[in-house]
Amino acid sequence: MKINIKDFQVMEAQNVELKKCPTLIKPFYKSQDQYKEILGQHIEELSDLQNILYADNRYALLLIFQAMDAAGKDGAIKHVMSGVNPQGCQVFSFKHPSPQELDHDFLWRTTRDLPQRGMIGIFNRSYYEEVLIVRVHPQILQGELIPDDLLSSKTIWEERYRSIRDLEKHLYYNGTRVIKFFLHLSKEEQRQRFLQRLDDPSKNWKISPADIQERKFWKDYVKAYEACLSATSTVKAPWYIVPADDKENAHLIISKTIVDTLKSLKLSYPKFDAQRQKELKAMRKGLLRKA
């Protein structure tokens, strides 16, 4: 079955209702062997495209992963990007901001880590935390030292959405393509994955009491994500809502989305003028000459 990435894309100005978006769909594979085969094909294509992206040196690609806890962001990055040359890819995880980061605007700490041309940058969580967890826990705003007259709950989220849209528009017109994945996990599947982490000693480190506490705010997070996805998915920087209850299926959707986006850039290896061709021939001739 062919993967059509448009099926998962949030259209610009679309009003997102997550209850209408499935967390589990019919898989694009019939067996584990077929899953590995399809993912392997995607990884091979991605590896080839990354080489051309690096050589072409006109575009950068920024991948943003957001999700509820245990949705599989780390696993998706690990599996999908397994064939990518580490020299052409960087991964950044953003958790609690440092005092220095709190002394700057909310986009500052992530802007420092944007990918340069020819590179793929991956944000495991991102500046979107500032309209997600901060919206669910607005007391966090008090630690951001924002002037009181700018903290109006009626405007601050819309202002932040606008700042994000403006940033991503700026990046687009400077050669950075932004793809944003929301891994859509059901509350029950999260519960099962948390139990697996508790039951498996090798995974105990992946869970904390805070993770369990945050489940109490599930409905608040759903509302925050719906508002965020609706306000910030654009033609130039789209969101993709990826059903995440089936990790393997999610990997296939994500990898296909990245491959299709890179293909759309019409990348190519650099073409050289006559002088450069002459130089290359001279170097070849010198190497063929016996020492």
Side-chain angles (χ1 to χ4, degrees), residues 30-31 48 70 72 84 102 119 143 165 202 209 215 262 282 289:
K30 295 180 179 180
S31 66
D48 291 341
V84 170
L102 289 172
M119 300 282 287
R165 289 194 301 268
S202 69
R215 279 176 60 82
L262 286 172
R289 189 182 301 123

Side-chain angles (χ1 to χ4, degrees), residues 285-291:
K285 185 176 180 180
L287 287 170
L288 291 173
R289 189 182 301 123
K290 292 184 178 180

Side-chain angles (χ1 to χ4, degrees), residues 50-51 54 84-90 116-120:
Q50 184 215 5
N51 287 334
Y54 189 83
V84 170
N85 186 337
Q87 289 184 313
C89 181
Q90 292 177 303
Q116 66 193 57
R117 288 186 179 89
M119 300 282 287
I120 297 175

Side-chain angles (χ1 to χ4, degrees), residues 133-150:
I133 188 171
V134 177
R135 187 161 189 172
V136 173
H137 299 288
Q139 65 272 21
I140 296 174
L141 283 171
Q142 303 303 319
E144 296 186 355
L145 307 177
I146 300 170
D148 291 341
D149 59 325
L150 299 178

Side-chain angles (χ1 to χ4, degrees), residues 69-70 125 190 194 197 204-216:
D69 290 331
R125 301 190 186 277
Q190 186 195 62
F194 279 169
R197 291 180 179 184
N204 288 170
W205 63 274
K206 298 179 71 175
I207 190 166
S208 71
D211 295 330
I212 307 303
Q213 279 293 114
E214 286 301 287
R215 279 176 60 82
K216 298 177 181 179

